[in-house]
Amino acid sequence: MDADDESSNPMIDEIYANGGSPEGGGGEKRSRRLIISGDQFDIEAYASLYSGRTKIARLLFIADHCGGDNSAMQLEALRMAFDEIKKGENTQLFREVVNKIGGRLGPDYTMDVAWCETVDRRAEQKKEKLDNELNAYRTNLIKESIRMGYNDFGDFYYAHGQLGEAFKSYVRTRDYCTTSKHIIHMCMSAILVSIEMGQFTHVASYVSKAEQTHEALDQITAAKLRCAAGLANLVSKKYKLAARKFLETAPELGSHYNEVIAPQDVATYGGLCALATFDRTELKASTLTMIMLLNDDCEISIVFLILILYLQAKVIDNINFRNFLELVPEVRELINDFYSSHYASCLEYLANLKANLLLDIHLHDHVETLYDQIRHKALIQYTLPFVSVDLQMMASAFKTTITGLEKELVALITDNQIQARVDSHNKILYARHADQRNATFQRVLETGRVFDRDVRSMLLRTNLIKYDYNARSLSRKL
Amino acid sequence: MDPMEALVAQIQGLSSTPGDIARLHIILKQADDSLRAESTRLSPVLGQLAPSEHSLGFLYVLDAFTSGQISKQQAETSVPIITGFINACNAEQIRLAPEKFVLVCKRLKDQVMMLEAPIRGVGPLLTAARKLQLSTEHLTPLHSDFLMLCVLAKCYKTGLSILEDDIFEVDQPRDLFLYCYYGGMICIGLKRFQKALDLLHNVVTAPMSTLNAIAVEAYKKYILVSLIHHGQLSTSLPKYASSVAQRSLKNFCQPYIELANSYGTEKIAELEAYVQTNTEKFENDNNLGLVKQVVLSMYKRNIQRLTQTYLTLSLQDIANTVQLNSPKEAEMHVLQMIQDGEIYATINQRDGMVRFLEDPEQYKTCEMIENIDSSIQRIMALSRKLSAMDEQISCDQLYLSKVGRERQRYDFDDFDVPTKFNI
């Protein structure tokens, strides 16, 4: 594993092209083996964060997306997936993985027909047994046993990869649930299967169902539900809501939800979504206060103490989220940099993380959008306090060229995100505030004109209709 | 005595007081057919009558005189007669026989068209329309003929004078369609696109039970003017447009709708290519000039967008952004726009830079205040008119009968609707 670290990697070269070597602070972090970082992706450590089906799904995703010139990583991922599947009972997945490996990993990792057949036979027998049991329970009409029966069915289908059937079985237990604990159990199972199937609308509805039970949920379940809700929002591109949900997750989550999500993921997803969608006050309140308390000098901490008095509720959440952020210090650093306007280093961290984030099964489709949003926010935030900005300095702050920067700024101005105009000759950006008085006059005159025209047309049409109606009724009279 | 002589004598005798004129009118109506029979012999009769005093009589005789086929030479002689009559006639007298007057004027129009000198008809028809109108808000059939001659003779300014009046009362819907259509064309000729848009809008949204060709042609022009003036086309007609129009108008104007779509993509090359391929269709509709203006307007719109984002910009950059071929062309476009008052800018030829300025209008001048004041007065008058019309309709018999049948019945009394309101 260590050898992989030092070897040059085409992926990393491309990342570093945007601006020189990382700042000094990055060096000391190398000593800690980090999971999601700019370093070479460590599959084993990554996979150890998860358990169950999601582990296999993630490994397969990595194998598919890690790029053609990285066959070592691909084979590693496939090998681990193979091992994991062998421990379970999913023959369908097994066949898939074997096809993907294509014999590249040697004789141990080829199609084991015997194993498949045994597993299938066992499955058949188990299914019959469960079926019989369920029928027996059904004739006896004992609610609890019927519920257990359906649950067992659900588990069975899930283990064998028949997710649709599993979902149906879990949902059937709904009629036989007597206590809120049962309902919660059903919801959690339904959520798990829906996430695997990728049907996040179900996830959202079952989360709300679970949260509506009369009993107070215990910390861990509440945290799990928050994570699931956050995930559903992320997938449906509601980044702000996703950020909120992730930030509300209690740190007691720990590794209890490893069959879906790891705490590092909570930090990364939450941090990135917050960065992309929160404004400064929200960002500060929700993520930074406690960080600064620990990092900066005492005088500054007094100021923040006062803030804490105002932000009691948010502070409690801060502590939670800070614990998560500790697991992914790069994300923490980049939020810090963004807030303190060190945009170049912030964007550098982002670029470093990008390659690894692209291998994440949930974040894959959203990385580009989130990155664009973060970059735009950085540009807007930079220009906000100034009356005029020298494009040369801004370009060096963001480590891009002037022409490229100009293009980006023009796009933002056209989009009405920045109120400014570009002096292309002298390369300066001037803030421009709309003249309210003139604008009001123009609007008034325009409204008057439109009213005039509309009323005149209406009167004309009324006359036409009246004429028409008169003509028709005359002809009827005759 | 020759019946003609008798008639002439009566006309001359009975043209002084309103009572006499009414009697004369009846007599004339009875004599109408006999007049027509003698149409060839009527020019000396015309000589005996004075148009200004004996307008009604003159009108009848003139009508009989000009009925029937007229050759070019005859047209040469009759045009001045009709013109003289129109200029000299008495407005109240001719209003007693409006259809005849309209008929005579239409014949004038045909004759000037035959002589291929539409401008000869412009002046007379203007006077005629003004005389026939009961008020400035009244639309006569002559308005549309007048505007048509203006369009043919390219006398746009004269046409504009009559367009400045607001029209509220209409005799025949068909007149309105033609009036608005020709009016729209005149405004386009004068580059007053907003007014043209209003007029064409009236045609397109007028109540109609079946689609007519005027509305189709008007819609085509409406699309083009909308693109030039606003840079976009609303895809559906407003709700108050007739259902016929909403459903079928688009089917007849397919090339134009596609032009509008192509315009919406903001790619000049595509737009020009589309125009190239469909030149023939546009030409058949006589809309090619307008289409070329549409393409030009796209450049203008792009340059205008630049004023929102840049303070200064080099001509080279303008040429690149707007997809023009050279900085020289860009300079010409910008210059033209500055002259037309569409943007405010200064061109620095030494550096090849354009500096965009803000709209200097500060809304502080006397003219502006007068402008606003007059607009306020106008709108208040319009409001009053609207309430007056509302009251008038609520007292209208037809309206009450229709509503009476369908209203809610809350009381025993409500069930007795007086029979006179049930038609």
Coordinates of all heavy atoms in Angstrom, one line a residue, chain A residues 213-245:
Chain A
T213 N -43.8 9.2 14.3 CA -44.3 8.3 15.4 C -44.3 9.1 16.7 O -43.6 10.0 17.0 CB -43.4 7.1 15.5 OG1 -42.0 7.6 15.8 CG2 -43.4 6.2 14.3
H214 N -45.2 8.6 17.6 CA -45.5 9.3 18.8 C -44.3 9.2 19.7 O -44.0 10.2 20.4 CB -46.7 8.7 19.5 CG -47.9 8.8 18.6 ND1 -48.5 9.9 18.2 CD2 -48.7 7.8 18.1 CE1 -49.5 9.7 17.4 NE2 -49.7 8.4 17.3
E215 N -43.7 8.0 19.8 CA -42.6 7.9 20.7 C -41.4 8.7 20.3 O -41.1 8.9 19.1 CB -42.1 6.4 20.7 CG -42.5 5.6 21.9 CD -42.0 4.2 21.8 OE1 -40.8 4.0 21.4 OE2 -42.8 3.3 22.0
A216 N -40.6 9.2 21.2 CA -39.4 9.9 20.9 C -38.4 8.9 20.4 O -38.2 7.8 20.9 CB -38.9 10.6 22.2
L217 N -37.7 9.3 19.3 CA -36.7 8.4 18.7 C -35.4 8.5 19.5 O -35.1 9.5 20.0 CB -36.5 8.8 17.3 CG -37.7 8.8 16.4 CD1 -37.4 9.6 15.1 CD2 -38.1 7.4 16.1
D218 N -34.7 7.4 19.6 CA -33.5 7.5 20.3 C -32.4 8.1 19.3 O -32.6 8.2 18.1 CB -33.0 6.1 20.7 CG -32.6 5.2 19.6 OD1 -33.5 4.6 19.0 OD2 -31.4 5.2 19.2
Q219 N -31.4 8.6 19.9 CA -30.4 9.4 19.2 C -29.9 8.8 17.9 O -29.9 9.4 16.9 CB -29.2 9.7 20.1 CG -29.4 10.7 21.2 CD -29.0 12.1 20.6 OE1 -29.2 12.4 19.4 NE2 -28.6 13.0 21.5
I220 N -29.6 7.5 18.0 CA -29.0 6.9 16.9 C -30.0 6.8 15.7 O -29.6 7.1 14.6 CB -28.5 5.5 17.2 CG1 -27.4 5.6 18.3 CG2 -28.0 4.8 16.0 CD1 -26.8 4.3 18.7
T221 N -31.2 6.4 16.1 CA -32.2 6.3 15.0 C -32.5 7.6 14.4 O -32.6 7.8 13.1 CB -33.5 5.7 15.5 OG1 -33.2 4.8 16.5 CG2 -34.3 5.0 14.4
A222 N -32.6 8.6 15.2 CA -32.8 10.0 14.7 C -31.7 10.4 13.8 O -31.9 10.9 12.7 CB -32.9 11.0 15.9
A223 N -30.5 10.1 14.2 CA -29.3 10.4 13.3 C -29.4 9.7 12.0 O -29.1 10.3 10.9 CB -28.0 10.1 14.1
K224 N -29.7 8.4 12.1 CA -29.8 7.6 10.8 C -30.9 8.3 9.9 O -30.7 8.4 8.7 CB -30.3 6.2 11.1 CG -29.2 5.3 11.8 CD -29.7 3.9 11.9 CE -28.8 3.1 12.7 NZ -29.3 1.7 12.8
L225 N -32.0 8.6 10.5 CA -33.1 9.2 9.6 C -32.6 10.5 9.0 O -32.9 10.8 7.8 CB -34.3 9.4 10.5 CG -35.1 8.2 10.9 CD1 -36.2 8.5 11.9 CD2 -35.7 7.5 9.7
R226 N -31.9 11.3 9.8 CA -31.4 12.6 9.2 C -30.5 12.3 8.0 O -30.5 12.9 7.0 CB -30.6 13.4 10.3 CG -31.5 13.9 11.3 CD -32.1 15.3 11.0 NE -33.3 15.5 11.7 CZ -33.3 15.7 13.0 NH1 -32.2 15.6 13.7 NH2 -34.5 15.9 13.6
C227 N -29.6 11.3 8.2 CA -28.6 11.0 7.1 C -29.4 10.6 5.9 O -29.1 11.0 4.8 CB -27.7 9.8 7.5 SG -26.4 10.3 8.6
A228 N -30.4 9.7 6.1 CA -31.2 9.2 5.0 C -31.9 10.4 4.3 O -31.9 10.5 3.0 CB -32.2 8.2 5.4
A229 N -32.5 11.3 5.1 CA -33.1 12.4 4.5 C -32.2 13.3 3.7 O -32.4 13.7 2.6 CB -33.8 13.2 5.6
G230 N -31.0 13.5 4.3 CA -30.0 14.3 3.6 C -29.6 13.7 2.3 O -29.5 14.4 1.3
L231 N -29.4 12.4 2.3 CA -29.1 11.7 1.1 C -30.1 11.8 0.0 O -29.8 12.1 -1.2 CB -28.9 10.2 1.4 CG -27.8 9.4 0.7 CD1 -26.5 10.2 0.7 CD2 -27.6 8.1 1.3
A232 N -31.4 11.7 0.4 CA -32.5 11.8 -0.5 C -32.5 13.2 -1.1 O -32.6 13.4 -2.3 CB -33.8 11.6 0.2
N233 N -32.3 14.3 -0.3 CA -32.2 15.6 -0.8 C -31.0 15.8 -1.7 O -31.2 16.5 -2.8 CB -32.1 16.6 0.4 CG -33.4 16.8 1.0 OD1 -34.5 16.8 0.4 ND2 -33.4 17.1 2.3
L234 N -29.9 15.2 -1.4 CA -28.7 15.4 -2.2 C -29.0 14.9 -3.6 O -28.7 15.5 -4.6 CB -27.5 14.7 -1.6 CG -26.2 14.6 -2.4 CD1 -25.7 16.0 -2.6 CD2 -25.2 13.8 -1.8
V235 N -29.6 13.6 -3.7 CA -29.8 13.0 -5.0 C -30.8 13.8 -5.8 O -30.7 13.9 -7.0 CB -30.3 11.6 -4.8 CG1 -30.7 11.0 -6.1 CG2 -29.1 10.7 -4.2
S236 N -31.8 14.4 -5.1 CA -32.8 15.2 -5.9 C -32.3 16.6 -6.0 O -33.1 17.5 -6.3 CB -34.2 15.1 -5.2 OG -34.1 15.5 -3.9
K237 N -31.1 16.9 -5.8 CA -30.4 18.2 -6.1 C -30.9 19.3 -5.2 O -30.8 20.5 -5.6 CB -30.6 18.6 -7.6 CG -30.0 17.7 -8.5 CD -29.8 18.3 -9.9 CE -29.6 17.3 -11.0 NZ -28.3 16.7 -10.9
K238 N -31.5 19.0 -4.1 CA -31.9 20.1 -3.2 C -30.8 20.2 -2.2 O -30.8 19.8 -1.0 CB -33.2 19.7 -2.4 CG -34.4 19.5 -3.4 CD -35.6 19.3 -2.7 CE -36.7 18.7 -3.6 NZ -37.5 17.7 -2.9
Y239 N -29.7 20.9 -2.6 CA -28.5 20.9 -1.9 C -28.6 21.6 -0.5 O -28.0 21.2 0.4 CB -27.4 21.6 -2.7 CG -27.1 20.8 -4.0 CD1 -27.2 21.4 -5.2 CD2 -26.8 19.5 -4.0 CE1 -27.0 20.8 -6.4 CE2 -26.6 18.8 -5.1 CZ -26.7 19.4 -6.3 OH -26.5 18.7 -7.5
K240 N -29.4 22.7 -0.5 CA -29.5 23.4 0.7 C -30.2 22.6 1.8 O -29.7 22.5 2.9 CB -30.3 24.7 0.5 CG -30.2 25.7 1.7 CD -30.5 27.1 1.2 CE -30.1 28.1 2.3 NZ -30.2 29.4 1.9
L241 N -31.3 21.9 1.4 CA -31.9 21.0 2.4 C -31.0 19.9 2.8 O -31.0 19.5 4.0 CB -33.2 20.5 1.8 CG -34.3 21.5 1.5 CD1 -35.4 20.9 0.7 CD2 -34.8 22.0 2.9
A242 N -30.3 19.4 1.8 CA -29.4 18.2 2.2 C -28.4 18.7 3.2 O -28.1 18.0 4.2 CB -28.7 17.8 0.9
A243 N -27.8 19.9 3.0 CA -26.8 20.4 3.9 C -27.4 20.5 5.3 O -26.8 20.1 6.3 CB -26.3 21.8 3.4
R244 N -28.6 21.1 5.4 CA -29.3 21.2 6.7 C -29.4 19.9 7.4 O -29.1 19.8 8.6 CB -30.6 21.9 6.6 CG -30.6 23.3 6.1 CD -31.5 24.2 7.1 NE -31.4 25.5 6.6 CZ -32.2 26.0 5.7 NH1 -33.1 25.3 5.2 NH2 -32.0 27.3 5.3
K245 N -29.9 18.9 6.6 CA -30.1 17.6 7.2 C -28.8 17.0 7.7 O -28.7 16.5 8.9 CB -30.7 16.6 6.2 CG -32.1 17.0 5.9 CD -33.1 16.6 7.0 CE -34.5 17.1 6.7 NZ -35.3 17.0 7.9

